[in-house]
Amino acid sequence: MENQNVYERPVTLKNILKFAVPTIAMTVFMSFYTMVDGLFVSNLIGTNALSAINLTAPIIQLVTAVSTMLATGGSAVIMRKMGEQKVDEAREDFTFLILVNVIVGIFMCAVGYLSMNRIFAGMNLSPEVEGYCVAYLSRYLVFTVPILLMNNFTLYMIASEKATLSLLCSVTGGVLNMVFDYVFIAGFDMGISGAAIATGLGYSVTAVVGMFVFSKKKSLLHFKKPAFRLKVLTNAATNGCSEMATALVTGIITMMFNWTMLHYVGEDGVAAVTIIMYVLMFASSLYTGYSYGVAPMISYYYGEQNHEKLKKLVAVSMRVIAEISLVSVAASFLLTKPLVSVFARPDNPVYDLAVTGNRICTIALLFIGFNIFASGMFTALSNGVVSAVLAFSRSFVFMLITMITLPLIFGVNGVWLATPAAELLALALSAVMFLKNRKRYGY
């Protein structure tokens, strides 16, 4: 089988990067065009509108959390079956999980519309910012199903050795997003609603292409008459629960950041948080892309019980992540002012807040990569429990502790210190879990 030859190649840095580089480029580009949304909104509408995008982010993350769980967990389950030579069964499960995502998307879209007005009304926002929030989210939710399909098809394209196609879809969607941002906001004067529609259309590219790609039987994974297997759904949910937990608690922590900054600084503080989150997201996408790229290899080698290849893959991955960490920290420090100035001019009070915050938060980039890889590795090994413990502790428990304590001691700077402190604690836990399970999996 063609795909067998791919997974049977020697585990070298060159062969690993053939898998990982397209997914790194894809995730970096996806984060880049999220930043472009903020760029157009902040410059063409204002920093209050930028604050609104961040205030809607937790709801969007809640809407997509279940899909993220099924996509990452489902990919691990399906690729493990591929390694076990259960090809037809894997394809049936793939189709079944895609149908589940469509149903989830429709349900979450309805819940979002029913609840958003009450949520924003309870935040004590200015009428202008509240109006921006409602306008943005109401348009974004229209694209819920395509966005959930995009989350799934992105990972399944990677697993089917179509990472380059996935990258091409992301680039095309990103370019469309940028073009539509300008056309809808500047040309048609649609304001923040235009930004939401542009984002939805950009994300929809992968969903549309994926429907065509996976309809063809020559694809390693393709649609087949689905078989309802509750165990498959349970295993996908269990394996991917760490990624769902990350999405859920990221939304909760984002709300905490917003509320804390509203308390200390006001809506300018929320805009500063948004800028820093863009920078961290852009850097973190390097690690996320690498982890997504090697996850199918980890799952396949585990299913094949090839401990030699698994051990080498993990060892090389650690070196790659360490090198990315050093480069990303240096780049973030050096480029802080240019990056912030893209979103806010130096005479804007948001500028100084964001510059200080980014320089402090950049320290977290030393640890984030190892934490992301550790959680992703255990998901790929079908150990959703350990992956969930790592993700939940990192994204919620440690962030909650640092977000409550450090601002009380350091004020606004404590808000910025919370992220690197939480990531350092998470790194210690990741190291413990990594060493504890080493003999069990043979890496």
Side-chain angles (χ1 to χ4, degrees):
M1 195 164 53
E2 184 180 350
N3 195 71
Q4 285 281 329
N5 295 330
V6 173
Y7 287 99
E8 287 176 0
R9 290 173 187 167
V11 178
T12 63
L13 178 60
K14 181 180 179 181
N15 286 335
I16 292 171
L17 292 180
K18 283 181 180 179
F19 257 84
V21 167
T23 60
I24 292 172
M26 177 193 66
T27 53
V28 166
F29 196 83
M30 288 177 69
S31 68
F32 174 71
Y33 73 76
T34 300
M35 291 174 67
V36 168
D37 258 355
L39 173 65
F40 277 104
V41 168
S42 61
N43 284 281
L44 297 179
I45 306 175
T47 52
N48 277 347
L50 185 63
S51 299
I53 289 181
N54 194 25
L55 289 165
T56 61
I59 300 173
I60 291 170
Q61 286 157 347
L62 291 171
V63 168
T64 58
V66 176
S67 174
T68 301
M69 171 188 70
L70 294 175
T72 54
S75 177
V77 170
I78 289 166
M79 291 313 297
R80 182 178 176 180
K81 286 189 176 183
M82 284 288 186
E84 295 169 346
Q85 304 304 309
K86 299 176 181 176
V87 177
D88 287 337
E89 191 174 320
R91 289 168 179 163
E92 291 170 355
D93 295 342
F94 162 68
T95 310
F96 167 60
L97 290 175
I98 292 298
L99 289 174
V100 171
N101 270 274
V102 172
I103 295 169
V104 168
I106 294 169
F107 175 76
M108 296 303 290
C109 177
V111 171
Y113 273 111
L114 291 172
S115 59
M116 65 178 174
N117 285 320
R118 277 174 286 179
I119 292 171
F120 296 130
M123 288 186 180
N124 196 28
L125 303 171
S126 67
E128 181 186 20
V129 173
E130 184 178 339
Y132 283 142
C133 289
V134 172
Y136 186 84
L137 188 60
S138 62
R139 304 306 187 277
Y140 190 97
L141 287 173
V142 172
F143 297 93
T144 301
V145 171
I147 289 171
L148 300 197
L149 289 177
M150 180 272 296
N151 287 341
N152 282 264
F153 289 155
T154 294
L155 293 186
Y156 287 122
M157 284 181 188
I158 295 167
S160 299
E161 211 207 355
K162 297 182 185 297
T164 303
L165 176 61
S166 185
L167 170 61
L168 182 61
C169 290
S170 297
V171 171
T172 303
V175 171
L176 285 176
N177 185 21
M178 293 179 223
V179 171
F180 287 142
D181 265 329
Y182 182 79
V183 170
F184 293 158
I185 298 173
F188 294 161
D189 197 25
M190 294 174 66
I192 199 168
S193 297
I197 295 170
T199 299
L201 291 173
Y203 283 150
S204 298
V205 171
T206 302
V208 173
V209 172
M211 292 298 293
F212 283 103
V213 168
F214 294 116
S215 295
K216 296 180 179 178
K217 291 187 177 181
K218 66 180 181 179
S219 176
L220 175 66
L221 288 175
H222 57 256
F223 296 131
K224 191 173 183 177
K225 185 178 179 180
F228 178 83
R229 297 186 181 96
L230 184 60
K231 185 178 180 181
V232 170
L233 184 58
T234 303
N235 287 342
T238 302
N239 287 333
C241 63
S242 61
E243 282 70 20
M244 183 183 76
T246 299
L248 288 173
V249 300
T250 298
I252 295 169
I253 293 300
T254 300
M255 285 191 285
M256 286 186 63
F257 265 109
N258 292 339
W259 289 336
T260 305
M261 293 308 288
L262 284 169
H263 173 71
Y264 280 100
V265 186
E267 290 170 352
D268 285 342
V270 177
V273 167
T274 308
I275 294 170
I276 292 167
M277 289 179 74
Y278 282 150
V279 176
L280 284 177
M281 176 183 63
F282 185 77
S284 297
S285 65
L286 294 167
Y287 313 121
T288 303
Y290 182 84
S291 296
Y292 281 171
V294 299
M297 298 174 73
I298 293 173
S299 298
Y300 193 94
Y301 297 148
Y302 175 54
E304 195 180 40
Q305 290 297 294
N306 193 327
H307 299 297
E308 183 182 348
K309 284 189 173 182
L310 188 58
K311 184 182 294 185
K312 190 168 184 180
L313 175 59
V314 172
V316 173
S317 295
M318 289 296 182
R319 291 199 298 272
V320 170
I321 290 169
E323 291 169 5
I324 294 175
S325 299
L326 293 175
V327 172
S328 62
V329 167
S332 185
F333 268 119
L334 292 172
L335 299 174
T336 289
K337 288 188 176 180
L339 285 170
V340 172
S341 65
V342 170
F343 297 93
R345 295 190 178 104
D347 58 349
N348 191 316
V350 172
Y351 178 84
D352 289 332
L353 280 169
V355 167
T356 302
N358 189 69
R359 284 174 172 164
I360 295 172
C361 284
T362 290
I363 300 168
L365 295 176
L366 289 170
F367 321 123
I368 289 175
F370 295 103
N371 293 328
I372 289 174
F373 178 76
S375 180
M377 182 186 74
F378 283 110
T379 296
L381 292 170
S382 296
N383 192 332
V385 174
V386 172
S387 183
V389 168
L390 293 178
F392 188 73
S393 298
R394 170 190 171 229
S395 303
F396 185 70
V397 177
F398 297 144
M399 279 299 301
L400 185 65
I401 293 170
T402 55
M403 276 292 294
I404 290 173
T405 57
L406 294 182
L408 295 175
I409 302 171
F410 300 105
V412 174
N413 285 339
V415 179
W416 308 131
L417 282 167
T419 299
E423 292 291 347
L424 180 58
L425 293 171
L427 180 63
L429 181 60
S430 294
V432 170
M433 291 297 186
F434 184 87
L435 294 172
K436 182 179 179 181
N437 290 278
R438 197 166 196 169
K439 288 185 179 179
R440 177 180 175 182
Y441 295 108
Y443 53 73

